[in-house]
Amino acid sequence: MKLILIFSALFGASLCLETFIGHQVLRIETRNEEEVRKLQLLESLEHLELDFWISPSTPALPVDVRIPANSVQAVKAFLESHGIKYSILIEDLQVVLDQEKQDMAYSQQRERSSNSFNYGTYHSLDSIYAELDHLASEYSNIVSKLQIGESYEKRPLYVLKFSTGGNNRPAIWIDAGIHSREWVTQASAIWMAKKIASDYGKDPSITSLLNKMDIFLLTVTNPDGYVFTHTTNRMWRKTRSKNQGSRCVGVDPNRNWDAGFGGPGASNNPCSDSYHGPSANSEVEVKSVVDFIKNHGNIRAFLTLHSYSQLLMYPYGYKCTEPADHAELDALGRAAARSIQSLYGTTFTVGSICNTIYQASGGSIDWSYDYGIKYSFAFELRDTGRYGFLLPANQIIPAAEETWLGLKKILEHVRDNPY
């Protein structure tokens, strides 16, 4: 164990990587509103430096929280003194991170020797971007790469366009990685890019879809945050923009859209992981997507990939009223969840954001729906908390395969139900 700790410290230091030695992830089960309020109080105590992976919202949902080593005892004592039940999901976060790093290094070595892209491992931004180029050249008949803007730190935002021609056809938007630590989403998106490209002409469903519609896929929505998770802090979620008058960096890009901006479920504290930013669309990554969609003018579905929790959600999050198309969206969500389950038995819960998790304002699918894009859905991929954001790489392809079946079900419905 001592050797592992020394290795972690050395390995971390060599890359300026923040280490998480002794950090624990607890799952807390609340029984009533009073216990939820106690956890919300805990969440407000900044000196504990808690990182809520699933925030306290309702007694029906578990709460997952990462606790720094020096706060572990205090938090457990607090929970025990109030009779709140908890279990340990991750005993020592650094051990899991070291394993992830080791797996990546091993895969990179194998990739170099075979000169091929391994979809079953996690990749750096440069490696993902190189694969986008490779797909655009290998499948140049239907795939092209567009730059729709650049990030705060001037990294390009690349979208793959899948199209068989025609002008301004109806189109589907898919994005991943808006929250940078949700690595299974960027990994799944690049797998899906290959799947769409290679299935055209073979899979009748994708072939007929692309003969009528285009698909736009943004594999890494928050490139600055993603690079930061590789170089500095694996648990980083936000963008990397500087906040005026604060030492804290970054905005939660999924609280920054112009949909109930600044309302419940978003923070006005720049140090919070759910900080909404100074104004709607203040983040260039969000504004680039908004501008692209507005300029295109014919986007018919807006699908976004997150992790974790195994959920398939439709609007609204900023309010708890049902959208006008509730019945259709709910039925379609349930059909998609059945398709997901058909492969490996993975169950997804379906519902509106507000009813499924909690009220959260400034989210992307609320904006897209209010903008007139009826088929707006957010997927929360594997798992339900065993590994959380640190899903082992051997689950990337199974997660991508099953999610793709759910996405495909939605794409077919969009193709067959023009509006």
Side-chain angles (χ1 to χ4, degrees), residues 42-311:
L42 203 59
E43 193 175 20
S44 69
L45 301 176
E46 284 182 25
H47 68 280
L48 293 173
E49 297 185 322
L50 304 181
D51 170 17
F52 279 84
W53 290 9
I54 300 179
S55 289
S57 56
T58 148
L61 293 174
V63 174
D64 294 349
V65 59
R66 173 178 63 80
I67 307 167
N70 56 3
S71 299
V72 167
Q73 290 320 115
V75 170
K76 287 179 177 174
F78 175 89
L79 297 172
E80 286 160 14
S81 71
H82 291 100
I84 300 173
K85 283 169 62 179
Y86 69 87
S87 56
I88 299 171
L89 285 179
I90 299 176
E91 186 77 47
D92 187 336
L93 191 62
Q94 192 60 45
V95 173
V96 181
L97 292 176
D98 288 342
Q99 185 63 53
E100 183 176 75
K101 240 357 190 188
Q102 211 179 316
D103 290 348
M104 274 180 74
Y106 175 67
S107 296
Q108 278 166 357
Q109 216 175 339
R110 283 180 56 195
E111 271 184 338
R112 274 195 294 270
S113 59
S114 67
N115 203 17
S116 65
F117 187 87
N118 176 5
Y119 290 91
T121 189
Y122 294 116
H123 289 274
S124 67
L125 183 71
D126 289 344
S127 176
I128 291 175
Y129 279 4
E131 183 60 12
L132 298 183
D133 286 334
H134 175 241
L135 290 170
S137 68
E138 189 183 348
Y139 299 96
S140 55
N141 59 324
I142 59 157
V143 182
S144 55
K145 188 182 82 169
L146 321 171
Q147 184 176 340
I148 64 159
E150 56 183 22
S151 67
Y152 180 82
E153 293 177 342
K154 306 296 181 208
R155 293 184 174 89
L157 294 167
Y158 288 133
V159 165
L160 284 188
K161 178 184 183 181
F162 301 84
S163 178
T164 54
N167 278 330
N168 203 40
R169 280 180 163 181
I172 283 147
W173 172 269
I174 305 170
D175 67 66
I178 194 166
H179 288 143
S180 45
R181 64 185 175 186
E182 298 170 4
W183 281 12
V184 71
T185 68
Q186 298 95 335
S188 293
I190 194 83
W191 181 92
M192 288 172 189
K194 169 78 172 179
K195 181 75 174 158
I196 296 166
S198 57
D199 273 4
Y200 179 74
K202 295 178 191 159
D203 176 330
S205 164
I206 287 305
T207 306
S208 69
L209 178 86
L210 285 177
N211 285 338
K212 282 172 89 169
M213 305 182 84
D214 296 342
I215 297 175
F216 293 97
L217 174 62
L218 176 59
T219 54
V220 186
T221 309
N222 176 7
D224 298 347
Y226 188 62
V227 168
F228 198 73
T229 61
H230 282 267
T231 60
T232 312
N233 177 352
R234 174 65 180 86
M235 300 323 305
W236 190 260
R237 163 185 166 101
K238 300 192 284 181
T239 61
R240 293 295 301 161
S241 57
K242 291 187 171 57
N243 292 313
Q244 220 176 337
S246 172
R247 62 182 172 79
C248 294
V249 170
V251 164
D252 180 341
N254 206 39
R255 300 291 183 275
N256 191 240
W257 300 69
D258 193 5
F261 177 82
S267 172
N268 59 8
N269 174 2
C271 299
S272 163
D273 257 349
S274 55
Y275 174 51
H276 51 56
S279 58
N281 301 332
S282 64
E283 301 313 282
V284 65
E285 297 84 358
V286 171
K287 190 174 186 325
S288 298
V289 175
V290 168
D291 289 348
F292 176 82
I293 284 173
K294 286 182 169 178
N295 290 335
H296 185 280
N298 202 8
I299 303 285
R300 296 291 169 208
F302 185 107
L303 309 168
T304 182
L305 306 181
H306 289 253
S307 77
Y308 61 98
S309 283
Q310 295 170 201
L311 310 171

Side-chain angles (χ1 to χ4, degrees), residues 398-412:
E401 289 171 335
E402 67 194 9
T403 304
W404 171 242
L405 293 182
L407 268 174
K408 202 159 89 159
K409 179 62 79 177
I410 294 171
L411 301 187
E412 289 163 353

Side-chain angles (χ1 to χ4, degrees), residues 28-37 39-40 55-63 357-358:
I28 304 167
E29 309 275 355
T30 55
R31 286 168 299 195
N32 51 49
E33 293 295 342
E34 179 58 28
E35 290 188 354
V36 171
R37 277 193 294 276
L39 293 188
Q40 286 166 339
S55 289
S57 56
T58 148
L61 293 174
V63 174
I357 43 172
Y358 41 75

